[in-house]
Amino acid sequence: MPIALITGVTGQDGSYLAELLLAKGYAVAGVVRRTSHDSYERIGHLLDRIRIVPADLLDQHSLTTVIGEIQPDEIYNLAAQSFVPTSWTQPVLTGEFTALGVTRILEAMRLARPGARFYQASSSEMFGRARTTPQDESTPFYPRSPYGVAKVYGHWITVNYRESYGLYAVSGILFNHESPRRGLEFVTRRVSDGVARIKLGLTSELTLGNLEAKRDWGFAGDYVEAMWRMLQQDEPDDYVIGTGETHSVRDLVEVAFRHAGLDPSRYVRSDPALIRPAEVDVLQANPAKARRKLGWAPQVRFEDLVRMMVDADLQRLQGRR
């Protein structure tokens, strides 16, 4: 039975990945930070099937100890300070988790389990003000937020450990991927939750930032399959993962409101305070390499993803009317 260690197991991607690996016959251990409260709502249904181990991306010793104890075959680093707006208000903390945290876990692997295979969650935010569209593995990085800058560091330190120490270490450059498990602070979930609240009479307005920003949105449940496939290849390499299609925030709003039988023009307000200090206007993936080498392709289309999220929030909020 192969053993997988997941940092960020309580997050959106971590929960879907844990489900996938359990279905494939893995023993799964999830790293969590010690806090005064448990936040296991996304993995509550898995707690009797996975092992929870305490460690912290800010603490080198705890990571080395956990990897030495678990002796995983595969390590998936999904933990980060991942909300882009927060990276402006907490840039140093973002760097500690999202950049230096990658170095700490790679160093722990090098010391305690160099034969393992390592996956780093890179991000399309590394492209930022992209020089070319669509973006592939050769597109230069131009990050436009502290989060994007930290992710560039995490990406290149992974490459550096691969080339310097011969570790099997890869990065998946994932474009935006969403689900009903997405945090409420992210725009897709802000929209689906807002639509559900308006539909159920719990609120009368949805406030958003830049409605014209365009993103390549896919389903998180599809994207964790790509992560796993990257670690099954003979040679480590980096891959762009996305749908190859872009949609604006306005498109997202239209699909979500229409699905609920609502007219968005009656409820949506744009607030300049919610617009990023340095905006990323368009991100679009070219996932040709992943299709060719991994045999991976997204299964859930944008419109179906948005409807799925609206339906899930309607169901969640039904009892609060």
Side-chain angles (χ1 to χ4, degrees), residues 16 46 56 59 88 131 139 144 155 161 176 232 259:
Y16 281 113
L46 303 176
D56 196 316
D59 179 23
W88 274 287
R131 308 297 181 88
T139 304
R144 295 271 283 169
H155 179 87
Y161 268 68
N176 294 66
Q232 313 314 308
H259 180 59

Side-chain angles (χ1 to χ4, degrees), residues 46-200:
L46 303 176
L47 288 176
D48 61 342
R49 301 172 61 197
I50 66 176
R51 179 179 176 184
I52 298 297
V53 292
D56 196 316
L57 287 185
L58 301 185
D59 179 23
Q60 180 70 63
H61 177 72
S62 69
L63 295 170
T64 306
T65 299
V66 162
I67 290 176
E69 177 185 340
I70 300 293
Q71 287 292 295
D73 300 292
E74 297 173 3
I75 300 170
Y76 296 86
N77 182 38
L78 310 184
Q81 190 302 101
S82 60
F83 187 46
V84 174
T86 297
S87 74
W88 274 287
T89 59
Q90 296 183 304
V92 175
L93 183 68
T94 298
E96 286 286 353
F97 276 112
T98 308
L100 291 177
V102 186
T103 309
R104 294 186 187 102
I105 195 166
L106 281 166
E107 185 68 4
M109 172 179 156
R110 184 182 73 84
L111 295 172
R113 183 62 165 154
R117 296 189 168 197
F118 175 82
Y119 172 84
Q120 164 61 14
S122 288
S123 168
S124 60
E125 288 286 335
M126 300 189 306
F127 294 121
R129 183 184 285 176
R131 308 297 181 88
T132 59
T133 298
Q135 295 88 48
D136 63 19
E137 294 79 6
S138 65
T139 304
F141 299 139
Y142 192 150
R144 295 271 283 169
S145 67
Y147 170 78
V149 172
K151 280 292 186 182
V152 170
Y153 176 98
H155 179 87
W156 282 117
I157 200 66
T158 301
V159 172
N160 190 266
Y161 268 68
R162 178 171 74 215
E163 295 180 350
S164 299
Y165 299 115
L167 300 182
Y168 192 111
V170 308
S171 287
I173 307 174
L174 271 56
F175 281 63
N176 294 66
H177 46 290
E178 318 296 323
S179 76
R181 300 178 191 176
R182 191 54 139 158
L184 285 165
E185 68 271 23
F186 291 87
V187 67
T188 48
R189 188 71 192 288
R190 187 181 181 94
V191 170
S192 65
D193 177 75
V195 166
R197 289 177 181 277
I198 291 169
K199 180 68 175 179
L200 297 173

